[in-house]
Amino acid sequence: MTGARRQRKEPKKSVAVSLLSRFAAAPHVVWSVLFILIPLVFVAYYSFTDRDFHFTFENIAAFFTPKYLQILWRSVKLALIATAVCLLIGYPAAYYIARADAKRQKILIMLIMLPMWMNFLIRTYAWMVILQDTGILNSALGTVGIGPLKLMYTEGAVVLGMVYDYLPYMIMPIYSVMVKLDPRLVEAAYDLGCTPVQVIRKVVIPQSIPGVVSGVMMVFVPSISTFYISQKLGGGNFYLIGDAIETQVYTANNLHMAAAISLVLMIILLAGMFVMNRFSDDSAGGGLIP
């Protein structure tokens, strides 16, 4: 009898838990529908309509012309360079932070996140002051007989702005994975005769691949769609895909073409994220690589 009573109570309890979990998820569902799903529907609707809201493929077709494909290529190129530089700087930084003691980790993380507390525009203007012909950097170089160098309004300045603004997005995902790395794996690798370089190559890097993939996507996505950095540090000489969207919205007043560019760019980024996630899933794992 006691067992039968327990069996009767358990379904009621499971139903209550199910209802509670659904209720707890309701705000997230509402938020997703209002601020993600509905805006995406509007973007798709505007992409396939003209100014009179008649169905058309002209906006999508206009994107695949030499003009916009060249802009897309320039955006991808600079975003890839910025992402690669962030990875080269961020990976060793994340490894160093993860291996530091708890107190030093907190200090280093605070120093990395501290610039993010300032407004994005202020940080960009700060680099304009540093890089301009009469700026701090050229003045310092002038004291040793170098310069003035043309640092502003170059592709290098645009990439520098991207790296500075998005480097924390590379460091933090890699750090969050590395800090959970089981130290016994490293000790086992040393016991098996691995050198420090082999430990990093065969133990640390394979374990940190999910963090690397997350960091790469978190840097590449905002880099390819940025427009303010290219305008201020590039002087408008390097027209990126984000600039094209802004021009269609504020100058040409053509929301339909802007939506079409955004939709195609979003599809490209989602396809890249899908490939990277598959790569991360296949590469994630543990242990030593023979």
Side-chain angles (χ1 to χ4, degrees):
M1 292 293 293
T2 304
R5 290 178 180 177
R6 289 180 180 177
Q7 290 179 357
R8 291 176 182 175
K9 291 181 179 180
E10 285 177 358
K12 294 182 179 180
K13 184 177 180 181
S14 62
V15 170
V17 172
S18 177
L19 292 175
L20 183 61
S21 62
R22 292 182 181 180
F23 180 77
H28 173 73
V29 173
V30 172
W31 178 275
S32 300
V33 170
L34 290 178
F35 298 104
I36 298 178
L37 183 60
I38 293 178
L40 289 178
V41 171
F42 273 101
V43 169
Y45 174 71
Y46 272 78
S47 299
F48 292 100
T49 54
D50 56 19
R51 293 178 182 268
D52 297 323
F53 293 97
H54 297 147
F55 182 80
T56 180
F57 283 103
E58 292 182 0
N59 298 321
I60 302 296
F63 181 86
F64 295 97
T65 56
K67 172 186 174 181
Y68 285 105
L69 291 179
Q70 183 179 5
I71 296 172
L72 178 63
W73 163 244
R74 185 185 301 117
S75 302
V76 171
K77 180 184 70 173
L78 296 183
L80 286 175
I81 295 173
T83 303
V85 174
C86 285
L87 181 59
L88 291 175
I89 298 174
Y91 195 92
Y95 180 79
Y96 177 78
I97 297 173
R99 299 279 73 81
D101 58 79
K103 183 177 180 180
R104 185 175 297 179
Q105 283 185 23
K106 294 178 181 179
I107 295 174
L108 293 174
I109 291 175
M110 183 190 70
L111 293 176
I112 290 173
M113 299 304 298
L114 191 60
M116 306 298 292
W117 297 353
M118 291 186 295
N119 186 274
F120 178 82
L121 305 183
I122 296 176
R123 285 181 279 145
T124 305
Y125 270 108
W127 275 109
M128 294 176 63
V129 174
I130 295 173
L131 297 178
Q132 62 187 354
D133 294 341
T134 58
I136 298 173
L137 188 55
N138 268 318
S139 299
L141 293 174
T143 59
V144 294
I146 302 176
L149 303 177
K150 183 174 177 55
L151 303 176
M152 279 285 290
Y153 309 138
T154 62
E155 285 190 349
V158 176
V159 171
L160 177 61
M162 293 179 181
V163 171
Y164 174 75
D165 283 312
Y166 304 131
L167 181 59
Y169 300 149
M170 179 68 73
I171 294 177
M172 297 310 298
I174 300 176
Y175 160 78
S176 65
V177 172
M178 283 189 173
V179 77
K180 300 174 184 177
L181 178 64
D182 191 345
R184 293 175 295 182
L185 293 175
V186 177
E187 295 175 1
Y190 280 120
D191 291 340
L192 292 173
C194 289
T195 63
V197 175
Q198 290 176 323
V199 170
I200 293 176
R201 183 171 62 88
K202 294 185 177 183
V203 179
V204 177
I205 292 179
Q207 293 284 323
S208 61
I209 288 296
V212 171
V213 172
S214 298
V216 167
M217 294 309 301
M218 290 181 68
V219 172
F220 181 78
V221 170
S223 295
I224 195 175
S225 57
T226 188
F227 63 92
Y228 193 80
I229 295 175
S230 60
Q231 290 177 2
K232 297 304 178 182
L233 298 182
N237 298 326
F238 307 99
Y239 199 70
L240 303 183
I241 200 71
D243 299 309
I245 296 174
E246 186 201 25
T247 300
Q248 293 296 330
V249 172
Y250 294 106
T251 303
N253 194 25
N254 188 352
L255 296 179
H256 303 272
M257 188 61 202
I261 299 173
S262 302
L263 181 65
V264 175
L265 181 62
M266 181 177 63
I267 293 173
I268 294 173
L269 292 176
L270 288 176
M273 291 175 65
F274 176 77
V275 173
M276 293 293 287
N277 285 333
R278 290 293 299 269
F279 175 77
S280 175
D281 293 339
D282 293 339
S283 301
L288 303 176
I289 297 178

